[in-house]
Every structure is written in C-alpha cells, then in structure tokens.
mmCIF file of all heavy atoms in Angstrom:
data_model
loop_
_atom_site.group_PDB
_atom_site.id
_atom_site.type_symbol
_atom_site.label_atom_id
_atom_site.label_comp_id
_atom_site.label_asym_id
_atom_site.label_seq_id
_atom_site.Cartn_x
_atom_site.Cartn_y
_atom_site.Cartn_z
ATOM 1 N N GLY A 1 -31.638 -67.110 -97.004
ATOM 2 C CA GLY A 1 -32.001 -66.040 -97.916
ATOM 3 C C GLY A 1 -32.956 -65.042 -97.283
ATOM 4 O O GLY A 1 -33.220 -65.070 -96.084
ATOM 5 N N ASP A 2 -33.491 -64.154 -98.119
ATOM 6 C CA ASP A 2 -34.345 -63.069 -97.652
ATOM 7 C C ASP A 2 -35.824 -63.316 -97.911
ATOM 8 O O ASP A 2 -36.660 -62.654 -97.320
ATOM 9 C CB ASP A 2 -33.942 -61.753 -98.336
ATOM 10 C CG ASP A 2 -32.526 -61.339 -97.991
ATOM 11 O OD1 ASP A 2 -32.158 -61.457 -96.807
ATOM 12 O OD2 ASP A 2 -31.795 -60.910 -98.896
ATOM 13 N N ARG A 3 -36.173 -64.234 -98.823
ATOM 14 C CA ARG A 3 -37.566 -64.440 -99.188
ATOM 15 C C ARG A 3 -38.310 -65.261 -98.141
ATOM 16 O O ARG A 3 -37.805 -66.261 -97.631
ATOM 17 C CB ARG A 3 -37.668 -65.185 -100.528
ATOM 18 C CG ARG A 3 -37.360 -64.362 -101.745
ATOM 19 C CD ARG A 3 -38.452 -63.372 -102.082
ATOM 20 N NE ARG A 3 -39.698 -64.022 -102.379
ATOM 21 C CZ ARG A 3 -40.028 -64.482 -103.587
ATOM 22 N NH1 ARG A 3 -39.181 -64.375 -104.596
ATOM 23 N NH2 ARG A 3 -41.216 -65.032 -103.784
ATOM 24 N N PHE A 4 -39.543 -64.838 -97.817
ATOM 25 C CA PHE A 4 -40.411 -65.639 -96.964
ATOM 26 C C PHE A 4 -40.815 -66.904 -97.722
ATOM 27 O O PHE A 4 -41.108 -66.853 -98.915
ATOM 28 C CB PHE A 4 -41.678 -64.862 -96.610
ATOM 29 C CG PHE A 4 -41.471 -63.711 -95.656
ATOM 30 C CD1 PHE A 4 -42.534 -62.880 -95.334
ATOM 31 C CD2 PHE A 4 -40.244 -63.450 -95.088
ATOM 32 C CE1 PHE A 4 -42.381 -61.813 -94.461
ATOM 33 C CE2 PHE A 4 -40.065 -62.394 -94.211
ATOM 34 C CZ PHE A 4 -41.135 -61.575 -93.900
ATOM 35 N N PHE A 5 -40.871 -68.036 -97.008
ATOM 36 C CA PHE A 5 -41.364 -69.250 -97.660
ATOM 37 C C PHE A 5 -41.938 -70.219 -96.642
ATOM 38 O O PHE A 5 -41.688 -70.112 -95.428
ATOM 39 C CB PHE A 5 -40.273 -69.928 -98.498
ATOM 40 C CG PHE A 5 -39.086 -70.467 -97.735
ATOM 41 C CD1 PHE A 5 -39.154 -71.658 -97.017
ATOM 42 C CD2 PHE A 5 -37.869 -69.798 -97.758
ATOM 43 C CE1 PHE A 5 -38.055 -72.160 -96.327
ATOM 44 C CE2 PHE A 5 -36.761 -70.290 -97.082
ATOM 45 C CZ PHE A 5 -36.858 -71.473 -96.365
ATOM 46 N N VAL A 6 -42.739 -71.167 -97.163
ATOM 47 C CA VAL A 6 -43.273 -72.284 -96.388
ATOM 48 C C VAL A 6 -42.688 -73.556 -96.974
ATOM 49 O O VAL A 6 -42.702 -73.752 -98.195
ATOM 50 C CB VAL A 6 -44.816 -72.331 -96.467
ATOM 51 C CG1 VAL A 6 -45.358 -73.605 -95.827
ATOM 52 C CG2 VAL A 6 -45.423 -71.101 -95.806
ATOM 53 N N HIS A 7 -42.162 -74.427 -96.111
ATOM 54 C CA HIS A 7 -41.573 -75.683 -96.572
ATOM 55 C C HIS A 7 -42.077 -76.822 -95.699
ATOM 56 O O HIS A 7 -42.017 -76.747 -94.463
ATOM 57 C CB HIS A 7 -40.046 -75.620 -96.496
ATOM 58 C CG HIS A 7 -39.373 -76.942 -96.751
ATOM 59 N ND1 HIS A 7 -39.309 -77.510 -98.008
ATOM 60 C CD2 HIS A 7 -38.766 -77.814 -95.902
ATOM 61 C CE1 HIS A 7 -38.677 -78.681 -97.915
ATOM 62 N NE2 HIS A 7 -38.344 -78.875 -96.652
ATOM 63 N N LEU A 8 -42.596 -77.876 -96.336
ATOM 64 C CA LEU A 8 -43.071 -79.042 -95.602
ATOM 65 C C LEU A 8 -42.027 -80.142 -95.616
ATOM 66 O O LEU A 8 -41.329 -80.357 -96.610
ATOM 67 C CB LEU A 8 -44.377 -79.567 -96.206
ATOM 68 C CG LEU A 8 -45.589 -78.657 -96.135
ATOM 69 C CD1 LEU A 8 -46.845 -79.425 -96.532
ATOM 70 C CD2 LEU A 8 -45.760 -78.047 -94.759
ATOM 71 N N PHE A 9 -41.934 -80.874 -94.498
ATOM 72 C CA PHE A 9 -41.055 -82.032 -94.412
ATOM 73 C C PHE A 9 -41.708 -83.218 -95.127
ATOM 74 O O PHE A 9 -42.897 -83.195 -95.443
ATOM 75 C CB PHE A 9 -40.803 -82.421 -92.948
ATOM 76 C CG PHE A 9 -40.305 -81.296 -92.088
ATOM 77 C CD1 PHE A 9 -40.785 -81.146 -90.791
ATOM 78 C CD2 PHE A 9 -39.355 -80.402 -92.546
ATOM 79 C CE1 PHE A 9 -40.333 -80.119 -89.975
ATOM 80 C CE2 PHE A 9 -38.892 -79.372 -91.740
ATOM 81 C CZ PHE A 9 -39.381 -79.226 -90.452
ATOM 82 N N GLY A 10 -40.912 -84.271 -95.335
ATOM 83 C CA GLY A 10 -41.487 -85.489 -95.904
ATOM 84 C C GLY A 10 -42.499 -86.134 -94.970
ATOM 85 O O GLY A 10 -43.484 -86.746 -95.412
ATOM 86 N N LYS A 11 -42.268 -86.007 -93.662
ATOM 87 C CA LYS A 11 -43.215 -86.501 -92.669
ATOM 88 C C LYS A 11 -43.138 -85.605 -91.438
ATOM 89 O O LYS A 11 -42.180 -84.840 -91.276
ATOM 90 C CB LYS A 11 -42.900 -87.945 -92.287
ATOM 91 C CG LYS A 11 -41.526 -88.148 -91.675
ATOM 92 C CD LYS A 11 -41.309 -89.612 -91.319
ATOM 93 C CE LYS A 11 -39.933 -89.816 -90.670
ATOM 94 N NZ LYS A 11 -39.709 -91.239 -90.298
ATOM 95 N N ARG A 12 -44.127 -85.705 -90.576
ATOM 96 C CA ARG A 12 -44.159 -84.858 -89.392
ATOM 97 C C ARG A 12 -42.950 -85.131 -88.507
ATOM 98 O O ARG A 12 -42.555 -86.286 -88.294
ATOM 99 C CB ARG A 12 -45.460 -85.118 -88.615
ATOM 100 C CG ARG A 12 -45.654 -84.174 -87.444
ATOM 101 C CD ARG A 12 -47.061 -84.254 -86.891
ATOM 102 N NE ARG A 12 -47.365 -85.584 -86.363
ATOM 103 C CZ ARG A 12 -48.511 -85.895 -85.745
ATOM 104 N NH1 ARG A 12 -49.460 -84.973 -85.616
ATOM 105 N NH2 ARG A 12 -48.711 -87.102 -85.288
ATOM 106 N N SER A 13 -42.353 -84.083 -87.988
ATOM 107 C CA SER A 13 -41.155 -84.215 -87.167
ATOM 108 C C SER A 13 -41.492 -84.777 -85.786
ATOM 109 O O SER A 13 -42.658 -84.814 -85.377
ATOM 110 C CB SER A 13 -40.460 -82.854 -87.015
ATOM 111 O OG SER A 13 -41.208 -82.014 -86.157
ATOM 112 N N ARG A 14 -40.476 -85.158 -85.066
ATOM 113 C CA ARG A 14 -40.659 -85.687 -83.722
ATOM 114 C C ARG A 14 -41.299 -84.659 -82.792
ATOM 115 O O ARG A 14 -42.018 -85.002 -81.852
ATOM 116 C CB ARG A 14 -39.303 -86.133 -83.163
ATOM 117 C CG ARG A 14 -39.366 -86.790 -81.786
ATOM 118 C CD ARG A 14 -38.000 -87.319 -81.396
ATOM 119 N NE ARG A 14 -37.009 -86.254 -81.396
ATOM 120 C CZ ARG A 14 -35.710 -86.450 -81.181
ATOM 121 N NH1 ARG A 14 -35.248 -87.673 -80.965
ATOM 122 N NH2 ARG A 14 -34.870 -85.430 -81.197
ATOM 123 N N ASP A 15 -41.043 -83.380 -83.052
ATOM 124 C CA ASP A 15 -41.616 -82.309 -82.241
ATOM 125 C C ASP A 15 -43.038 -81.944 -82.645
ATOM 126 O O ASP A 15 -43.639 -81.048 -82.044
ATOM 127 C CB ASP A 15 -40.735 -81.057 -82.327
ATOM 128 C CG ASP A 15 -39.381 -81.266 -81.655
ATOM 129 O OD1 ASP A 15 -39.297 -82.110 -80.744
ATOM 130 O OD2 ASP A 15 -38.414 -80.588 -82.050
ATOM 131 N N GLY A 16 -43.556 -82.614 -83.669
ATOM 132 C CA GLY A 16 -44.945 -82.379 -84.050
ATOM 133 C C GLY A 16 -45.151 -81.287 -85.078
ATOM 134 O O GLY A 16 -46.252 -80.738 -85.186
ATOM 135 N N TYR A 17 -44.130 -80.993 -85.864
ATOM 136 C CA TYR A 17 -44.268 -79.991 -86.921
ATOM 137 C C TYR A 17 -44.272 -80.669 -88.283
ATOM 138 O O TYR A 17 -43.500 -81.589 -88.543
ATOM 139 C CB TYR A 17 -43.130 -78.978 -86.866
ATOM 140 C CG TYR A 17 -43.121 -78.150 -85.601
ATOM 141 C CD1 TYR A 17 -42.100 -78.291 -84.661
ATOM 142 C CD2 TYR A 17 -44.135 -77.244 -85.346
ATOM 143 C CE1 TYR A 17 -42.095 -77.538 -83.497
ATOM 144 C CE2 TYR A 17 -44.143 -76.484 -84.180
ATOM 145 C CZ TYR A 17 -43.124 -76.646 -83.257
ATOM 146 O OH TYR A 17 -43.134 -75.911 -82.104
ATOM 147 N N HIS A 18 -45.132 -80.165 -89.167
ATOM 148 C CA HIS A 18 -45.185 -80.684 -90.538
ATOM 149 C C HIS A 18 -44.192 -79.967 -91.444
ATOM 150 O O HIS A 18 -43.937 -80.415 -92.563
ATOM 151 C CB HIS A 18 -46.598 -80.511 -91.101
ATOM 152 C CG HIS A 18 -47.651 -81.229 -90.321
ATOM 153 N ND1 HIS A 18 -48.315 -80.651 -89.261
ATOM 154 C CD2 HIS A 18 -48.142 -82.483 -90.443
ATOM 155 C CE1 HIS A 18 -49.180 -81.510 -88.762
ATOM 156 N NE2 HIS A 18 -49.099 -82.632 -89.448
ATOM 157 N N GLY A 19 -43.655 -78.846 -90.986
ATOM 158 C CA GLY A 19 -42.714 -78.083 -91.787
ATOM 159 C C GLY A 19 -42.332 -76.805 -91.066
ATOM 160 O O GLY A 19 -42.494 -76.687 -89.844
ATOM 161 N N VAL A 20 -41.830 -75.845 -91.836
ATOM 162 C CA VAL A 20 -41.393 -74.567 -91.269
ATOM 163 C C VAL A 20 -41.945 -73.428 -92.112
ATOM 164 O O VAL A 20 -42.280 -73.598 -93.287
ATOM 165 C CB VAL A 20 -39.854 -74.451 -91.215
ATOM 166 C CG1 VAL A 20 -39.262 -75.500 -90.307
ATOM 167 C CG2 VAL A 20 -39.245 -74.529 -92.617
ATOM 168 N N PHE A 21 -42.058 -72.258 -91.481
ATOM 169 C CA PHE A 21 -42.248 -71.018 -92.247
ATOM 170 C C PHE A 21 -41.035 -70.150 -91.943
ATOM 171 O O PHE A 21 -40.658 -69.953 -90.799
ATOM 172 C CB PHE A 21 -43.570 -70.332 -91.911
ATOM 173 C CG PHE A 21 -43.675 -69.741 -90.528
ATOM 174 C CD1 PHE A 21 -43.552 -68.366 -90.318
ATOM 175 C CD2 PHE A 21 -43.919 -70.551 -89.421
ATOM 176 C CE1 PHE A 21 -43.659 -67.828 -89.046
ATOM 177 C CE2 PHE A 21 -44.034 -70.009 -88.143
ATOM 178 C CZ PHE A 21 -43.904 -68.648 -87.957
ATOM 179 N N TYR A 22 -40.428 -69.663 -93.011
ATOM 180 C CA TYR A 22 -39.149 -68.960 -92.899
ATOM 181 C C TYR A 22 -39.361 -67.467 -93.103
ATOM 182 O O TYR A 22 -40.080 -67.047 -94.026
ATOM 183 C CB TYR A 22 -38.175 -69.491 -93.947
ATOM 184 C CG TYR A 22 -36.834 -68.779 -93.976
ATOM 185 C CD1 TYR A 22 -35.866 -69.038 -93.022
ATOM 186 C CD2 TYR A 22 -36.545 -67.841 -94.973
ATOM 187 C CE1 TYR A 22 -34.636 -68.382 -93.051
ATOM 188 C CE2 TYR A 22 -35.323 -67.188 -95.014
ATOM 189 C CZ TYR A 22 -34.371 -67.470 -94.047
ATOM 190 O OH TYR A 22 -33.162 -66.815 -94.077
ATOM 191 N N VAL A 23 -38.732 -66.637 -92.225
ATOM 192 C CA VAL A 23 -38.965 -65.195 -92.257
ATOM 193 C C VAL A 23 -37.688 -64.377 -92.457
ATOM 194 O O VAL A 23 -37.711 -63.160 -92.283
ATOM 195 C CB VAL A 23 -39.685 -64.736 -90.969
ATOM 196 C CG1 VAL A 23 -41.052 -65.382 -90.859
ATOM 197 C CG2 VAL A 23 -38.844 -65.032 -89.723
ATOM 198 N N GLY A 24 -36.572 -65.025 -92.822
ATOM 199 C CA GLY A 24 -35.343 -64.281 -93.073
ATOM 200 C C GLY A 24 -34.684 -63.782 -91.799
ATOM 201 O O GLY A 24 -35.000 -64.231 -90.692
ATOM 202 N N PRO A 25 -33.765 -62.826 -91.910
ATOM 203 C CA PRO A 25 -33.120 -62.262 -90.711
ATOM 204 C C PRO A 25 -34.159 -61.569 -89.834
ATOM 205 O O PRO A 25 -35.019 -60.849 -90.334
ATOM 206 C CB PRO A 25 -32.124 -61.250 -91.299
ATOM 207 C CG PRO A 25 -31.950 -61.641 -92.730
ATOM 208 C CD PRO A 25 -33.245 -62.239 -93.156
ATOM 209 N N ILE A 26 -34.062 -61.781 -88.526
ATOM 210 C CA ILE A 26 -35.076 -61.242 -87.621
ATOM 211 C C ILE A 26 -34.561 -60.005 -86.894
ATOM 212 O O ILE A 26 -33.366 -59.840 -86.659
ATOM 213 C CB ILE A 26 -35.562 -62.301 -86.607
ATOM 214 C CG1 ILE A 26 -34.399 -62.885 -85.812
ATOM 215 C CG2 ILE A 26 -36.354 -63.382 -87.312
ATOM 216 C CD1 ILE A 26 -34.845 -63.821 -84.691
ATOM 217 N N THR A 27 -35.519 -59.146 -86.538
ATOM 218 C CA THR A 27 -35.238 -57.887 -85.855
ATOM 219 C C THR A 27 -36.164 -57.761 -84.676
ATOM 220 O O THR A 27 -37.374 -58.004 -84.792
ATOM 221 C CB THR A 27 -35.462 -56.690 -86.818
ATOM 222 O OG1 THR A 27 -34.804 -56.943 -88.050
ATOM 223 C CG2 THR A 27 -34.944 -55.402 -86.200
ATOM 224 N N ALA A 28 -35.637 -57.382 -83.515
ATOM 225 C CA ALA A 28 -36.453 -57.274 -82.304
ATOM 226 C C ALA A 28 -37.544 -56.215 -82.461
ATOM 227 O O ALA A 28 -37.314 -55.151 -83.035
ATOM 228 C CB ALA A 28 -35.568 -56.921 -81.103
ATOM 229 N N SER A 29 -38.719 -56.542 -81.926
ATOM 230 C CA SER A 29 -39.807 -55.570 -81.877
ATOM 231 C C SER A 29 -40.095 -55.281 -80.404
ATOM 232 O O SER A 29 -40.534 -56.157 -79.663
ATOM 233 C CB SER A 29 -41.062 -56.119 -82.561
ATOM 234 O OG SER A 29 -42.113 -55.168 -82.500
ATOM 235 N N PRO A 30 -39.854 -54.061 -79.952
ATOM 236 C CA PRO A 30 -40.058 -53.732 -78.530
ATOM 237 C C PRO A 30 -41.538 -53.658 -78.174
ATOM 238 O O PRO A 30 -42.400 -53.675 -79.071
ATOM 239 C CB PRO A 30 -39.381 -52.360 -78.399
ATOM 240 C CG PRO A 30 -39.480 -51.773 -79.759
ATOM 241 C CD PRO A 30 -39.355 -52.911 -80.721
ATOM 242 N N PRO A 31 -41.862 -53.566 -76.895
ATOM 243 C CA PRO A 31 -43.265 -53.442 -76.481
ATOM 244 C C PRO A 31 -43.918 -52.218 -77.128
ATOM 245 O O PRO A 31 -43.286 -51.175 -77.307
ATOM 246 C CB PRO A 31 -43.180 -53.293 -74.964
ATOM 247 C CG PRO A 31 -41.874 -53.913 -74.592
ATOM 248 C CD PRO A 31 -40.955 -53.640 -75.731
ATOM 249 N N ALA A 32 -45.212 -52.344 -77.422
ATOM 250 C CA ALA A 32 -45.947 -51.235 -78.017
ATOM 251 C C ALA A 32 -46.067 -50.068 -77.050
ATOM 252 O O ALA A 32 -46.078 -48.904 -77.444
ATOM 253 C CB ALA A 32 -47.333 -51.701 -78.451
ATOM 254 N N VAL A 33 -46.156 -50.379 -75.741
ATOM 255 C CA VAL A 33 -46.207 -49.358 -74.711
ATOM 256 C C VAL A 33 -45.077 -49.644 -73.740
ATOM 257 O O VAL A 33 -44.988 -50.738 -73.202
ATOM 258 C CB VAL A 33 -47.558 -49.375 -73.972
ATOM 259 C CG1 VAL A 33 -47.558 -48.325 -72.863
ATOM 260 C CG2 VAL A 33 -48.687 -49.109 -74.946
#
C-alpha cells in the first residue's frame, strides 16, 4: 500500500530486527550537489 507504517515481529529476526518501517513505493533521490 501507500501508507507509512511501523510493524513489529513476534520476536526479533535472525538478522537482528524487531520489525520493519514501511515507506511505500520508492523514488531515487540524486546527490544534492
């Protein structure tokens, strides 16, 4: 979907994350300079 959200897993993942933050479809941001 399009809405930003935070979702926690039932337990910490093998990679050491407690959950995810979701940002929808992503768009490249070029260098500022």
Side-chain angles (χ1 to χ4, degrees):
D2 297 317
R3 285 287 298 274
F4 289 176
F5 65 77
V6 172
H7 171 73
L8 295 191
F9 307 139
K11 61 180 181 179
R12 186 168 63 176
S13 72
R14 184 174 58 185
D15 292 334
Y17 296 112
H18 300 89
V20 297
F21 69 103
Y22 177 77
V23 297
I26 56 174
T27 312
S29 180
V33 178

